[in-house]
Amino acid sequence: VIQVSENTFCVFFYSRSWENLSACSIVLVHVLSICSKLCYAIGGAPYQITGSALGFFLQIYLLDVAQIDAFYASIILFVGRAWDGITDPTVGFLVSRSPWTRFGRMLPWIVLSTPLAVICYFLIFYVPPFEDGKVVWYLFFYCAFQTLQTCFHVPYSALTMFISSEQAERDSATAYRMTIEVLGAVLGTAIQGQIVGMANAPCIPGPGDPVLNATNLSVVDGHNDSLLKTAYMIASGVICLVYILCAIVLFFGVREQKEFCRVGSEPISFFQGIKLVMGHGPYVKLVIGFLFTSLAFMLLEGNFALFCTYTLGFRNDFQNILLVIMFSATLAIPFWQWFLTRFGKKTAAYCGTLTAVPSMIVVVVFKSNLIMTYFVSFFAGMGVASAYLMSWSMLPDVVDDFKLENPKSTGHEAIFYSFYVFFSKFSSGISLGISTLSLHFAGYITRGCSQPEAVNITLRVLVSFAPIALMIIGLVVLYFYPIDEKRRQRNRERLREQEMEDSETDSAELAAII
């Protein structure tokens, strides 16, 4: 073993005679430092920060602040998500065809997309001084931001395969990343919620609500409307600043390893790449399994605030309950990282997903109690942490398995990750559509102080019974996922042998290096 740099080691395998260089082979092992893992993990925060802020507040902003008609607001949200679904595989294909530069192949995409992304994000939360064309304004900048965020997140996700060749190092870096991403979701919710909450309007009483002070429950006047617009702009400005800082840390703290970036013999077309990737059985089973489990957790997360506010009656405590869930998820990620290394990833995925099921049942069956709700939320957060970690931790194993089955088809890592991101966003879009339509037909009152009983029943289904059913379906699909620990270790050894065979073909170059 020869150390060639601070964190990179050359492992030489040689014959009895050092003079016989044609029998020598070399494997580069890049050991990631804690600082590198942290810098890599920080790069995942912008996606979660902006995603949580948009997920929780964009619909309310379009309706109550920008004063867009509900029909056009739904068009903006739907078209934006549909456009996002198109850009994911497209950007993944373009990234996979990108040439190597002095900064790598993934990092240039991240750096170039960041300035334009923060501008578009800020303009999403800016109310233009005109009425005609306002819908086009928000539709354009929402779609533009989704495209630029994809140009950031797809290369960043694929970067996992180029920071080290060791599965243990990649798994460890993924655990760091999931921890920071969960913290990013907490940070995005906190920034947007606290700043906007200071200027938020009170609820509007319904027919059955006693009006104690009608002046405090009136429609927002011009002064409050201006304060609310300013609050949204300040919150978006702070988030844009954090976005830029995270991108800077990622660029200067992480280096792509060119020796892990293998170029395919012949480039393939876009549809050939899709057919090749989607034809890999383990990848399809993993995507479908986590599509259902992700949809379950998206339903839980997207409706839990409404459930706490209206069904449980914790209007002034739901923000703290959400923070308990997210902080619990942050604390649980190191535990699940240890668990998967001890018992295997597939077992960890089962145990982690099932951890949240008792919490969903208890919070619905038993009478509402604030202390019990905090306790239940803590265990729900452990399930959320497992869903975050396992899906991204198991994906590199599928990519390695694909490489072994298709040794001549290389350079498709970005396509794998782009479709994975697409299905994650697809599940988020489905959950938003199901929730909105269900609440609409149940008679949901926008910004009401209370809701009809049909809405409360619908919310109980959306945070309990529906997610449990989806989790069961996902776990059944995941049961047929073929990459267990034995196959993962076997693939690791075969990849080592493949690297040794590749290095033997370059014996003359190795001799020059020595």
Side-chain angles (χ1 to χ4, degrees):
V1 180
I2 299 178
Q3 185 173 2
V4 296
S5 66
E6 181 180 358
N7 298 313
T8 304
F9 299 85
C10 290
V11 182
F12 289 90
F13 300 86
Y14 54 90
S15 64
R16 291 184 177 181
S17 174
W18 268 100
E19 289 78 12
N20 186 13
L21 291 177
S22 62
C24 293
S25 62
I26 181 175
V27 175
L28 290 176
V29 178
H30 187 72
V31 180
L32 296 174
S33 65
I34 295 179
C35 181
S36 296
K37 293 176 184 178
L38 284 174
C39 291
Y40 167 75
I42 289 174
Y47 177 75
Q48 295 297 335
I49 292 174
T50 56
S52 61
L54 289 171
F56 281 116
F57 295 97
L58 181 58
Q59 187 175 23
I60 297 176
Y61 169 81
L62 292 176
L63 294 174
D64 297 340
V65 181
Q67 298 181 5
I68 300 292
D69 183 79
F71 174 75
Y72 293 110
S74 64
I75 291 179
I76 293 172
L77 295 173
F78 175 77
V79 173
R81 292 186 179 275
W83 177 256
D84 196 19
I86 297 174
T87 58
D88 280 317
T90 304
V91 171
F93 172 75
L94 295 176
V95 170
S96 66
R97 299 289 294 271
S98 300
W100 183 270
T101 67
R102 58 177 294 189
F103 301 108
R105 200 170 75 179
M106 305 297 166
L107 289 175
W109 283 83
I110 295 172
V111 173
L112 294 176
S113 65
T114 296
L116 297 176
V118 296
I119 293 174
C120 291
Y121 180 83
F122 182 80
L123 292 177
I124 289 175
F125 290 102
Y126 170 75
V127 180
F130 50 81
E131 291 297 326
D132 296 335
K134 189 183 291 185
V135 174
V136 177
W137 171 283
Y138 289 111
L139 181 61
F140 173 80
F141 285 110
Y142 184 50
C143 291
F145 174 73
Q146 296 287 5
T147 302
L148 294 166
Q149 189 185 49
T150 300
C151 293
F152 182 105
H153 192 63
V154 168
Y156 170 76
S157 301
L159 189 61
T160 310
M161 302 300 298
F162 301 110
I163 56 178
S164 178
S165 62
E166 290 295 301
Q167 288 183 350
E169 293 295 313
R170 297 199 301 248
D171 290 344
S172 178
T174 300
Y176 277 81
R177 171 191 165 188
M178 292 300 104
T179 304
I180 298 298
E181 286 197 1
V182 173
L183 285 174
V186 175
L187 183 62
T189 305
I191 292 175
Q192 194 86 5
Q194 294 301 319
I195 296 177
V196 173
M198 293 185 296
N200 201 8
C203 64
I204 300 174
D209 297 323
V211 182
L212 300 179
N213 190 343
T215 58
N216 292 332
L217 295 171
S218 59
V219 180
V220 178
D221 57 22
H223 177 67
N224 288 334
D225 188 40
S226 178
L227 289 177
L228 202 56
K229 293 178 181 178
T230 303
Y232 271 99
M233 291 178 62
I234 293 174
S236 63
V238 174
I239 289 177
C240 288
L241 180 61
V242 176
Y243 194 116
I244 295 173
L245 292 177
C246 291
I248 292 174
V249 171
L250 175 65
F251 180 74
F252 289 102
V254 177
R255 283 291 175 267
E256 292 183 55
Q257 306 301 316
K258 189 175 182 180
E259 55 269 22
F260 306 145
C261 180
R262 300 169 57 194
V263 181
S265 55
E266 292 183 2
I268 61 175
S269 67
F270 174 69
F271 293 103
Q272 287 176 331
I274 294 177
K275 183 179 180 180
L276 194 64
V277 169
M278 298 305 294
H280 189 58
Y283 178 76
V284 175
K285 292 182 177 67
L286 183 67
V287 167
I288 294 177
F290 277 107
L291 173 63
F292 282 100
T293 55
S294 297
L295 178 57
F297 282 106
M298 290 290 181
L299 281 176
L300 176 63
E301 294 176 6
N303 295 280
F304 198 72
L306 294 173
F307 176 75
C308 292
T309 301
Y310 296 111
T311 305
L312 299 183
F314 302 143
R315 177 178 295 275
N316 298 324
D317 298 288
F318 82 91
Q319 292 178 338
N320 297 329
I321 294 173
L322 292 177
L323 288 178
V324 168
I325 293 177
M326 303 310 293
F327 277 118
S328 170
T330 305
L331 296 175
I333 283 180
F335 167 77
W336 289 120
Q337 176 64 21
W338 168 83
F339 192 93
L340 70 87
T341 57
R342 179 68 176 83
F343 301 100
K345 297 180 180 181
K346 195 171 179 179
T347 302
Y350 267 86
C351 294
T353 302
L354 294 175
T355 300
V357 173
S359 304
M360 298 178 185
I361 297 176
V362 169
V363 77
V364 170
V365 173
F366 291 92
K367 187 177 180 180
S368 61
N369 180 282
L370 184 59
I371 297 177
M372 184 187 70
T373 304
Y374 279 120
F375 185 75
V376 167
S377 300
F378 181 84
F379 284 95
M382 295 185 65
V384 173
S386 174
Y388 269 104
L389 178 61
M390 298 307 161
S391 59
W392 290 106
S393 180
M394 296 170 74
L395 184 56
D397 301 335
V398 175
V399 177
D400 288 341
D401 190 79
F402 176 84
K403 287 181 179 180
L404 291 173
E405 293 188 6
N406 303 272
K408 295 183 179 180
S409 299
T410 59
H412 304 312
E413 293 85 356
I415 299 179
F416 275 96
Y417 280 85
S418 64
F419 272 97
Y420 214 60
V421 173
F422 162 71
F423 283 114
S424 176
K425 294 178 180 178
F426 179 70
S427 64
S428 175
I430 291 178
S431 66
L432 179 62
I434 292 175
S435 302
T436 305
L437 287 176
S438 301
L439 293 174
H440 172 73
F441 289 119
Y444 177 79
I445 302 174
T446 302
R447 293 174 60 186
C449 295
S450 64
Q451 298 294 337
E453 184 60 26
V455 173
N456 293 327
I457 296 175
T458 302
L459 288 172
R460 291 179 185 274
V461 173
L462 292 175
V463 302
S464 179
F465 303 112
I468 291 174
L470 292 170
M471 287 179 184
I472 294 174
I473 296 174
L475 292 179
V476 170
V477 175
L478 202 61
Y479 175 80
F480 297 98
Y481 174 71
I483 303 179
D484 53 12
E485 284 304 298
K486 292 183 178 180
R487 180 167 173 175
R488 195 169 73 91
Q489 295 298 331
R490 185 170 64 250
N491 288 348
R492 181 180 180 182
E493 296 300 325
R494 290 175 61 190
L495 281 174
R496 282 284 182 86
E497 295 174 0
Q498 190 177 86
E499 290 175 358
M500 292 169 58
E501 293 174 359
D502 293 340
S503 63
E504 288 176 358
T505 60
D506 301 326
S507 57
E509 184 177 348
L510 291 176
I513 294 175
I514 296 174

PDB file of all heavy atoms in Angstrom, residues 496-514:
ATOM      1  N   ARG A 496     -13.726  -5.179  -7.435  1.00  0.00           N
ATOM      2  CA  ARG A 496     -12.289  -5.092  -7.192  1.00  0.00           C
ATOM      3  C   ARG A 496     -11.522  -5.860  -8.273  1.00  0.00           C
ATOM      4  O   ARG A 496     -10.518  -5.370  -8.802  1.00  0.00           O
ATOM      5  CB  ARG A 496     -11.964  -5.680  -5.812  1.00  0.00           C
ATOM      6  CG  ARG A 496     -12.277  -4.751  -4.653  1.00  0.00           C
ATOM      7  CD  ARG A 496     -11.193  -3.656  -4.566  1.00  0.00           C
ATOM      8  NE  ARG A 496     -11.432  -2.779  -3.443  1.00  0.00           N
ATOM      9  CZ  ARG A 496     -11.011  -3.019  -2.209  1.00  0.00           C
ATOM     10  NH1 ARG A 496     -10.368  -4.140  -1.932  1.00  0.00           N
ATOM     11  NH2 ARG A 496     -11.249  -2.152  -1.251  1.00  0.00           N
ATOM     12  N   GLU A 497     -12.015  -7.059  -8.582  1.00  0.00           N
ATOM     13  CA  GLU A 497     -11.350  -7.845  -9.621  1.00  0.00           C
ATOM     14  C   GLU A 497     -11.427  -7.140 -10.972  1.00  0.00           C
ATOM     15  O   GLU A 497     -10.474  -7.173 -11.755  1.00  0.00           O
ATOM     16  CB  GLU A 497     -12.005  -9.222  -9.703  1.00  0.00           C
ATOM     17  CG  GLU A 497     -11.828 -10.067  -8.453  1.00  0.00           C
ATOM     18  CD  GLU A 497     -12.618 -11.364  -8.522  1.00  0.00           C
ATOM     19  OE1 GLU A 497     -13.294 -11.579  -9.558  1.00  0.00           O
ATOM     20  OE2 GLU A 497     -12.568 -12.137  -7.551  1.00  0.00           O
ATOM     21  N   GLN A 498     -12.574  -6.511 -11.248  1.00  0.00           N
ATOM     22  CA  GLN A 498     -12.727  -5.796 -12.509  1.00  0.00           C
ATOM     23  C   GLN A 498     -11.770  -4.616 -12.591  1.00  0.00           C
ATOM     24  O   GLN A 498     -11.180  -4.353 -13.645  1.00  0.00           O
ATOM     25  CB  GLN A 498     -14.174  -5.324 -12.657  1.00  0.00           C
ATOM     26  CG  GLN A 498     -14.530  -4.786 -14.026  1.00  0.00           C
ATOM     27  CD  GLN A 498     -15.991  -4.401 -14.120  1.00  0.00           C
ATOM     28  OE1 GLN A 498     -16.369  -3.287 -13.772  1.00  0.00           O
ATOM     29  NE2 GLN A 498     -16.822  -5.326 -14.568  1.00  0.00           N
ATOM     30  N   GLU A 499     -11.597  -3.905 -11.478  1.00  0.00           N
ATOM     31  CA  GLU A 499     -10.653  -2.800 -11.446  1.00  0.00           C
ATOM     32  C   GLU A 499      -9.227  -3.285 -11.656  1.00  0.00           C
ATOM     33  O   GLU A 499      -8.420  -2.633 -12.329  1.00  0.00           O
ATOM     34  CB  GLU A 499     -10.774  -2.065 -10.117  1.00  0.00           C
ATOM     35  CG  GLU A 499     -12.073  -1.291  -9.960  1.00  0.00           C
ATOM     36  CD  GLU A 499     -12.214  -0.682  -8.576  1.00  0.00           C
ATOM     37  OE1 GLU A 499     -11.313  -0.898  -7.743  1.00  0.00           O
ATOM     38  OE2 GLU A 499     -13.221   0.004  -8.328  1.00  0.00           O
ATOM     39  N   MET A 500      -8.911  -4.451 -11.084  1.00  0.00           N
ATOM     40  CA  MET A 500      -7.576  -5.012 -11.281  1.00  0.00           C
ATOM     41  C   MET A 500      -7.346  -5.387 -12.734  1.00  0.00           C
ATOM     42  O   MET A 500      -6.280  -5.127 -13.297  1.00  0.00           O
ATOM     43  CB  MET A 500      -7.413  -6.230 -10.374  1.00  0.00           C
ATOM     44  CG  MET A 500      -7.376  -5.912  -8.888  1.00  0.00           C
ATOM     45  SD  MET A 500      -7.510  -7.380  -7.844  1.00  0.00           S
ATOM     46  CE  MET A 500      -6.086  -8.311  -8.424  1.00  0.00           C
ATOM     47  N   GLU A 501      -8.374  -5.974 -13.380  1.00  0.00           N
ATOM     48  CA  GLU A 501      -8.239  -6.330 -14.793  1.00  0.00           C
ATOM     49  C   GLU A 501      -8.071  -5.099 -15.662  1.00  0.00           C
ATOM     50  O   GLU A 501      -7.289  -5.091 -16.617  1.00  0.00           O
ATOM     51  CB  GLU A 501      -9.463  -7.136 -15.226  1.00  0.00           C
ATOM     52  CG  GLU A 501      -9.573  -8.498 -14.567  1.00  0.00           C
ATOM     53  CD  GLU A 501     -10.871  -9.202 -14.919  1.00  0.00           C
ATOM     54  OE1 GLU A 501     -11.672  -8.582 -15.669  1.00  0.00           O
ATOM     55  OE2 GLU A 501     -11.091 -10.331 -14.444  1.00  0.00           O
ATOM     56  N   ASP A 502      -8.822  -4.034 -15.343  1.00  0.00           N
ATOM     57  CA  ASP A 502      -8.692  -2.797 -16.119  1.00  0.00           C
ATOM     58  C   ASP A 502      -7.310  -2.195 -15.961  1.00  0.00           C
ATOM     59  O   ASP A 502      -6.746  -1.652 -16.925  1.00  0.00           O
ATOM     60  CB  ASP A 502      -9.759  -1.793 -15.674  1.00  0.00           C
ATOM     61  CG  ASP A 502     -11.153  -2.241 -16.035  1.00  0.00           C
ATOM     62  OD1 ASP A 502     -11.278  -3.100 -16.938  1.00  0.00           O
ATOM     63  OD2 ASP A 502     -12.117  -1.753 -15.409  1.00  0.00           O
ATOM     64  N   SER A 503      -6.763  -2.277 -14.750  1.00  0.00           N
ATOM     65  CA  SER A 503      -5.458  -1.669 -14.520  1.00  0.00           C
ATOM     66  C   SER A 503      -4.337  -2.450 -15.182  1.00  0.00           C
ATOM     67  O   SER A 503      -3.315  -1.886 -15.564  1.00  0.00           O
ATOM     68  CB  SER A 503      -5.183  -1.555 -13.014  1.00  0.00           C
ATOM     69  OG  SER A 503      -5.141  -2.836 -12.434  1.00  0.00           O
ATOM     70  N   GLU A 504      -4.534  -3.772 -15.352  1.00  0.00           N
ATOM     71  CA  GLU A 504      -3.505  -4.582 -16.002  1.00  0.00           C
ATOM     72  C   GLU A 504      -3.339  -4.225 -17.462  1.00  0.00           C
ATOM     73  O   GLU A 504      -2.267  -4.394 -18.036  1.00  0.00           O
ATOM     74  CB  GLU A 504      -3.856  -6.058 -15.848  1.00  0.00           C
ATOM     75  CG  GLU A 504      -3.681  -6.577 -14.431  1.00  0.00           C
ATOM     76  CD  GLU A 504      -4.139  -8.018 -14.287  1.00  0.00           C
ATOM     77  OE1 GLU A 504      -4.618  -8.566 -15.306  1.00  0.00           O
ATOM     78  OE2 GLU A 504      -4.008  -8.572 -13.181  1.00  0.00           O
ATOM     79  N   THR A 505      -4.390  -3.715 -18.093  1.00  0.00           N
ATOM     80  CA  THR A 505      -4.300  -3.325 -19.506  1.00  0.00           C
ATOM     81  C   THR A 505      -3.447  -2.077 -19.702  1.00  0.00           C
ATOM     82  O   THR A 505      -3.071  -1.750 -20.817  1.00  0.00           O
ATOM     83  CB  THR A 505      -5.700  -3.072 -20.068  1.00  0.00           C
ATOM     84  OG1 THR A 505      -6.311  -2.023 -19.331  1.00  0.00           O
ATOM     85  CG2 THR A 505      -6.561  -4.333 -19.945  1.00  0.00           C
ATOM     86  N   ASP A 506      -3.174  -1.356 -18.622  1.00  0.00           N
ATOM     87  CA  ASP A 506      -2.378  -0.132 -18.691  1.00  0.00           C
ATOM     88  C   ASP A 506      -1.027  -0.330 -18.011  1.00  0.00           C
ATOM     89  O   ASP A 506      -0.561   0.505 -17.246  1.00  0.00           O
ATOM     90  CB  ASP A 506      -3.116   1.033 -18.022  1.00  0.00           C
ATOM     91  CG  ASP A 506      -4.446   1.308 -18.671  1.00  0.00           C
ATOM     92  OD1 ASP A 506      -4.527   1.122 -19.890  1.00  0.00           O
ATOM     93  OD2 ASP A 506      -5.393   1.689 -17.951  1.00  0.00           O
ATOM     94  N   SER A 507      -0.377  -1.462 -18.255  1.00  0.00           N
ATOM     95  CA  SER A 507       0.868  -1.760 -17.552  1.00  0.00           C
ATOM     96  C   SER A 507       1.973  -0.753 -17.885  1.00  0.00           C
ATOM     97  O   SER A 507       2.769  -0.385 -17.020  1.00  0.00           O
ATOM     98  CB  SER A 507       1.346  -3.172 -17.913  1.00  0.00           C
ATOM     99  OG  SER A 507       1.505  -3.302 -19.314  1.00  0.00           O
ATOM    100  N   ALA A 508       1.989  -0.280 -19.126  1.00  0.00           N
ATOM    101  CA  ALA A 508       3.017   0.690 -19.494  1.00  0.00           C
ATOM    102  C   ALA A 508       2.848   1.989 -18.732  1.00  0.00           C
ATOM    103  O   ALA A 508       3.816   2.588 -18.243  1.00  0.00           O
ATOM    104  CB  ALA A 508       2.973   0.948 -21.003  1.00  0.00           C
ATOM    105  N   GLU A 509       1.595   2.437 -18.588  1.00  0.00           N
ATOM    106  CA  GLU A 509       1.336   3.664 -17.835  1.00  0.00           C
ATOM    107  C   GLU A 509       1.641   3.476 -16.358  1.00  0.00           C
ATOM    108  O   GLU A 509       2.173   4.378 -15.703  1.00  0.00           O
ATOM    109  CB  GLU A 509      -0.131   4.069 -18.021  1.00  0.00           C
ATOM    110  CG  GLU A 509      -0.494   5.382 -17.355  1.00  0.00           C
ATOM    111  CD  GLU A 509      -1.921   5.774 -17.626  1.00  0.00           C
ATOM    112  OE1 GLU A 509      -2.552   5.157 -18.514  1.00  0.00           O
ATOM    113  OE2 GLU A 509      -2.404   6.708 -16.956  1.00  0.00           O
ATOM    114  N   LEU A 510       1.347   2.301 -15.820  1.00  0.00           N
ATOM    115  CA  LEU A 510       1.662   2.028 -14.424  1.00  0.00           C
ATOM    116  C   LEU A 510       3.168   2.042 -14.192  1.00  0.00           C
ATOM    117  O   LEU A 510       3.650   2.522 -13.161  1.00  0.00           O
ATOM    118  CB  LEU A 510       1.085   0.674 -14.004  1.00  0.00           C
ATOM    119  CG  LEU A 510      -0.437   0.580 -13.900  1.00  0.00           C
ATOM    120  CD1 LEU A 510      -0.857  -0.838 -13.570  1.00  0.00           C
ATOM    121  CD2 LEU A 510      -0.948   1.538 -12.852  1.00  0.00           C
ATOM    122  N   ALA A 511       3.905   1.503 -15.162  1.00  0.00           N
ATOM    123  CA  ALA A 511       5.357   1.515 -15.025  1.00  0.00           C
ATOM    124  C   ALA A 511       5.886   2.937 -14.985  1.00  0.00           C
ATOM    125  O   ALA A 511       6.809   3.264 -14.226  1.00  0.00           O
ATOM    126  CB  ALA A 511       5.990   0.748 -16.182  1.00  0.00           C
ATOM    127  N   ALA A 512       5.297   3.827 -15.796  1.00  0.00           N
ATOM    128  CA  ALA A 512       5.723   5.224 -15.781  1.00  0.00           C
ATOM    129  C   ALA A 512       5.407   5.884 -14.448  1.00  0.00           C
ATOM    130  O   ALA A 512       6.180   6.691 -13.927  1.00  0.00           O
ATOM    131  CB  ALA A 512       5.051   5.979 -16.929  1.00  0.00           C
ATOM    132  N   ILE A 513       4.237   5.541 -13.852  1.00  0.00           N
ATOM    133  CA  ILE A 513       3.865   6.103 -12.552  1.00  0.00           C
ATOM    134  C   ILE A 513       4.833   5.645 -11.479  1.00  0.00           C
ATOM    135  O   ILE A 513       5.303   6.422 -10.649  1.00  0.00           O
ATOM    136  CB  ILE A 513       2.432   5.700 -12.195  1.00  0.00           C
ATOM    137  CG1 ILE A 513       1.447   6.344 -13.172  1.00  0.00           C
ATOM    138  CG2 ILE A 513       2.090   6.097 -10.755  1.00  0.00           C
ATOM    139  CD1 ILE A 513       0.021   5.918 -12.969  1.00  0.00           C
ATOM    140  N   ILE A 514       5.172   4.340 -11.499  1.00  0.00           N
ATOM    141  CA  ILE A 514       6.099   3.809 -10.492  1.00  0.00           C
ATOM    142  C   ILE A 514       7.481   4.418 -10.672  1.00  0.00           C
ATOM    143  O   ILE A 514       8.149   4.760  -9.706  1.00  0.00           O
ATOM    144  CB  ILE A 514       6.160   2.271 -10.589  1.00  0.00           C
ATOM    145  CG1 ILE A 514       4.783   1.676 -10.260  1.00  0.00           C
ATOM    146  CG2 ILE A 514       7.222   1.718  -9.655  1.00  0.00           C
ATOM    147  CD1 ILE A 514       4.687   0.184 -10.473  1.00  0.00           C
TER     148      ILE A 514
END
